[in-house]
Amino acid sequence: MRTPKRLKIAETRSRLIAVDWESLGYNITRCHTFNVTICYHYMTANNRSKADCLDMDPKAPRHLVGNLPPYTNVSLKMILTNPEGRKESDETIIQTDEDVPGPVPNQSLRATPSEETISLYWKEPAEPNGVITQYEISYIGVRSFDPSVPLQRPGLTVSLPSNATHYTFAQLHPGVTYQLSIRASTSKGFGPAATLNVTTNISAPTIDEYDVSEAFLNETATTITVLLKPAQAKGAPISAYQIVVEEVNPQRSRRQASSDCYEVPVSYHSASSGSSPYYYAAQLSPSNLPEPLPFTVGDNKTYQASVLK
């Protein structure tokens, strides 16, 4: 039995190789019944060897070797067996074609938001399936704390080179949740996208500094009248104004007595019992303070708001 020759690659795709061989005549098989097998092997992406052998129809001049990984060198050989023994063809090495890449790993996605920017970081797809040529990233706004903020549909789309690993989206709105999307491309096109929802930060609203003479309007034995000013919102709209009254102990300086943040609402009666140096006098809705407004502490009026004392 002569060694089979002319093992040829008829077609190569990303996950399939079509193999042709010469017709098996008398001078090869010696009129014996025979079996034809194609064996192949390749290295996987994690450097493991993968091998298999496929029995084929001896009368067919072509066979398809499928379920192969894209962009991989595959070694193939033809084996002919009959009662006389076994003969193998020369080994043929062929590279499968590229395919679209797999998704960017979700676990590699990392975002750092600020009030008006989001920086996105990523890693190459675990299955590039070829040479990555570019990345395409985009965003759309999906919801906002401020109903007046227009959500961009469609949002911005940016193309980046194959060596890019991060990008910063700028000129965003505070307090908006954006859906970020990224996908990679080879010569065969774009693969599936990986997505991540990220919300930009919201800063606390700011109030112009008060001049003491401007803020203090009047004082009686039981009341104090001050001028309240509306705040400037950054991002989300202002949900409420809370008027906090704090007693300044003469034994301490004003700096020691004051706090920048009063996280726990305390009623007037609780503060009077000595449990707190401050109390919440009232809570105003934003509509109650569209412009500077006099407010009197101690007169028990509601000012169209919730009095907490």
Side-chain angles (χ1 to χ4, degrees):
M1 181 174 61
R2 182 169 61 81
T3 300
K5 298 179 179 180
R6 298 205 308 264
L7 183 63
K8 295 182 179 180
I9 305 302
E11 183 182 4
T12 304
R13 302 181 188 176
S14 59
R15 302 177 188 271
L16 177 148
I17 296 175
V19 182
D20 286 355
W21 58 88
E22 66 178 319
S23 177
L24 302 177
Y26 169 80
N27 62 338
I28 298 179
T29 65
R30 306 301 186 200
C31 291
H32 292 292
T33 58
F34 57 92
N35 296 317
V36 177
T37 304
I38 283 188
C39 292
Y40 65 92
H41 65 90
Y42 58 86
M43 298 298 293
T44 63
N46 55 4
N47 291 324
R48 293 185 178 181
S49 179
K50 170 74 174 179
D52 199 4
C53 291
L54 305 173
D55 292 329
M56 303 188 303
D57 181 0
K59 298 180 180 180
R62 175 174 293 188
H63 189 77
L64 302 180
V65 180
N67 297 320
L68 299 174
Y71 204 59
T72 301
N73 288 326
V74 181
S75 298
L76 305 102
K77 63 182 177 180
M78 179 180 176
I79 302 174
L80 178 65
T81 57
N82 70 10
E84 289 187 353
R86 166 191 174 113
K87 294 292 184 178
E88 297 183 1
S89 69
D90 294 334
E91 194 169 75
T92 300
I93 300 176
I94 187 69
Q95 186 181 69
T96 51
D97 202 357
E98 290 187 285
D99 201 352
V100 298
V104 169
N106 278 310
Q107 62 269 25
S108 76
L109 293 179
R110 180 171 58 88
T112 304
S114 67
E115 294 173 30
E116 298 179 344
T117 66
I118 297 176
S119 295
L120 179 66
Y121 302 83
W122 66 88
K123 292 183 178 180
E124 183 180 273
E127 297 180 353
N129 296 335
V131 178
I132 300 298
T133 58
Q134 65 174 319
Y135 290 97
E136 181 184 85
I137 61 175
S138 61
Y139 75 82
I140 58 172
V142 293
R143 59 181 175 271
S144 173
F145 287 100
D146 187 349
S148 66
V149 173
L151 299 179
Q152 297 185 12
R153 294 181 180 273
L156 176 69
T157 299
V158 178
S159 294
L160 298 173
S162 59
N163 61 349
T165 58
H166 67 277
Y167 182 80
T168 298
F169 296 97
Q171 298 181 340
L172 305 179
H173 294 280
V176 175
T177 298
Y178 293 93
Q179 183 180 83
L180 310 183
S181 175
I182 178 170
R183 58 179 184 166
S185 174
T186 65
S187 63
K188 296 297 183 179
F190 284 100
T195 60
L196 180 69
N197 284 7
V198 183
T199 302
T200 49
N201 297 340
I202 301 175
S203 292
T206 59
I207 300 178
D208 294 338
E209 291 188 8
Y210 276 83
D211 181 83
V212 175
S213 60
E214 177 188 16
F216 180 77
L217 300 181
N218 190 33
E219 180 180 5
T220 68
T222 58
T223 66
I224 298 176
T225 302
V226 295
L227 182 67
L228 302 182
K229 291 183 178 180
Q232 304 298 319
K234 291 186 176 181
I238 296 170
S239 57
Y241 292 96
Q242 294 172 334
I243 292 83
V244 181
V245 178
E246 182 179 10
E247 179 183 2
V248 180
N249 191 321
Q251 302 297 324
R252 297 179 297 179
S253 69
R254 178 67 180 172
R255 183 178 181 85
Q256 292 174 320
S258 297
S259 299
D260 291 331
C261 185
Y262 305 89
E263 296 183 358
V264 181
V266 178
S267 69
Y268 172 75
H269 296 293
S270 296
S272 299
S273 65
S275 61
S276 173
Y278 70 89
Y279 68 92
Y280 279 37
Q283 179 168 296
L284 304 176
S285 69
S287 61
N288 296 138
L289 194 60
E291 58 187 20
L293 173 75
F295 182 87
T296 301
V297 179
D299 62 359
N300 282 328
K301 293 183 179 180
T302 62
Y303 294 88
Q304 301 178 352
S306 300
V307 175
L308 304 179
K309 62 181 181 179

